[in-house]
Amino acid sequence: MPCYLTECNPTTEAMRFGVALINLYVYHCIVDRLFIEPTVQYMLRKGWLTQEKKDKMRESLYKNAAVGAFHILGLYVGWNETWFLNKEEYFKDFPHVASEGLRWYYMIYLSYWLQSIDFMLNITNKHYTIKRKDNAEMLVHHFATISLMLFSYYVDLTKIGLCVLMIHDVNDLLLETAKVFVYLQWETVANVFFGLFAFVWFFVRWFFYSYNILHSAYAFAYRDLIVRIIEAGSFAGIEASVWYWTWIIWLGFLCLLLVLHVYWGILIVQMVIKALGDGNVEKDIRSDSEGEKDVEEVEKPKKLLEASDTSNLKHRRAPKAE
């Protein structure tokens, strides 16, 4: 259970997670039924949205509603803290006793990632199950995120954990907003948001994530935690070597997130190149639906066959009159 190095009630923490998970699904149901579904139906009636984009629109609107709320909560919890986005403060005064607000933030966000896996695997909701080319990478990302969250919560590394989640929020909000305008076929607005998304992606997930999070996890975690533990020989009854290799594995998971950021960054570059060539962003490369690809593959032979038949008709001679 959480709070390995600080006092807490495991039953209370388990109940906190259960309450957070249940309330997230309640929040999803309320937002979807009262706001998202009526909005999407209105867009369909107005002709702004096509039927095949309906589920994608609902998915993007819900992600914005969820991540936007989490981001506001994260700002409320961390804004006035001296360690907020301060890489030299993440590991000072370890172990950190997380506040009630920070614990609730963690449990709510953990519930969200589990819900995302639920929707991807089509367990409880069919409306938000959009098959994509990078579903495998997304599952790896989700499981890596959940593993990092559980570990940081368990050993009271929640300060850096909150900041990792917060810097990811910005891109998620920009991406889903851009996709909303793509589905509405508002090309100019979509291009603006995709441009912002691409710029923020490289700045936040490549530069700032490496400079702030990875550098802190490597240099300052080693200085403030590992060196002290090695000098003492053990910590909390666990040998220094165990702590050292635990730190290495944790750092490896953080690096795995960077690898995924680089992978998706390459897709973003492809998207930008395509946009410069076409003059607009028709769709987000990483969110291309497998279903759409399948339709194209089915339609392609049909079109070739039709073209062949037409060509044969053009070159076929009329029968001679007897």
Side-chain angles (χ1 to χ4, degrees), residues 80-119:
N80 293 321
E81 300 290 345
T82 57
W83 49 261
F84 185 66
L85 297 179
N86 185 347
K87 65 179 183 178
E88 296 189 20
E89 296 288 332
Y90 292 149
F91 304 100
K92 288 185 177 180
D93 302 321
F94 178 81
H96 169 66
V97 180
S99 65
E100 281 293 302
L102 183 51
R103 293 193 186 281
W104 277 110
Y105 174 82
Y106 248 75
M107 290 298 99
I108 293 170
Y109 227 130
L110 179 62
S111 301
Y112 173 72
W113 288 117
L114 290 173
Q115 185 187 62
S116 298
I117 293 175
D118 166 20
F119 289 171

Side-chain angles (χ1 to χ4, degrees), residues 138-291:
M138 286 300 295
L139 282 173
V140 171
H141 174 272
H142 291 357
F143 280 116
T145 302
I146 290 171
S147 299
L148 286 168
M149 289 187 68
L150 288 174
F151 175 77
S152 62
Y153 194 66
Y154 185 68
V155 298
D156 302 292
L157 292 173
T158 48
K159 291 189 288 187
I160 190 172
L162 178 138
C163 295
V164 170
L165 293 169
M166 289 288 290
I167 65 176
H168 280 71
D169 289 346
V170 181
N171 271 115
D172 291 341
L173 291 169
L174 287 173
L175 174 62
E176 298 306 327
T177 302
K179 286 159 68 174
V180 165
F181 290 112
V182 168
Y183 303 148
L184 291 173
Q185 299 180 14
W186 295 7
E187 295 177 0
T188 302
V189 182
N191 289 343
V192 170
F193 273 100
F194 266 119
L196 286 172
F197 164 75
F199 172 78
V200 173
W201 180 279
F202 291 110
F203 177 76
V204 172
R205 297 210 183 186
W206 282 24
F207 170 72
F208 191 78
Y209 179 80
S210 301
Y211 170 78
N212 186 279
I213 302 300
L214 283 184
H215 181 245
S216 179
Y218 174 73
F220 297 113
Y222 184 80
R223 182 194 69 183
D224 296 336
L225 300 182
I226 303 303
V227 170
R228 287 167 45 197
I229 293 173
I230 291 175
E231 290 175 350
S234 65
F235 183 72
I238 300 176
E239 293 183 1
S241 60
V242 176
W243 283 106
Y244 176 81
W245 285 108
T246 301
W247 168 67
I248 291 293
I249 294 171
W250 175 65
L251 186 61
F253 270 92
L254 290 174
C255 290
L256 175 61
L257 287 184
L258 179 61
V259 170
L260 291 170
H261 295 168
V262 171
Y263 167 76
W264 283 313
I266 294 171
L267 294 184
I268 291 171
V269 171
Q270 295 175 358
M271 178 187 70
V272 171
I273 293 173
K274 183 177 184 297
L276 292 174
D278 296 347
N280 66 285
V281 179
E282 294 181 357
K283 53 189 174 182
D284 168 25
I285 288 177
R286 69 149 293 274
S287 66
D288 281 349
S289 170
E290 290 180 357

Side-chain angles (χ1 to χ4, degrees), residues 40 43-44 48-61 127 130 179-180 182-185 282-284 287-289 292:
V40 170
M43 292 175 178
L44 288 170
W48 299 343
L49 186 68
T50 59
Q51 190 68 31
E52 59 268 19
K53 298 295 184 183
K54 181 180 72 173
D55 288 347
K56 289 186 176 183
M57 176 64 80
R58 290 178 67 179
E59 180 190 49
S60 291
L61 290 175
H127 296 297
I130 310 298
K179 286 159 68 174
V180 165
V182 168
Y183 303 148
L184 291 173
Q185 299 180 14
E282 294 181 357
K283 53 189 174 182
D284 168 25
S287 66
D288 281 349
S289 170
E292 291 175 357

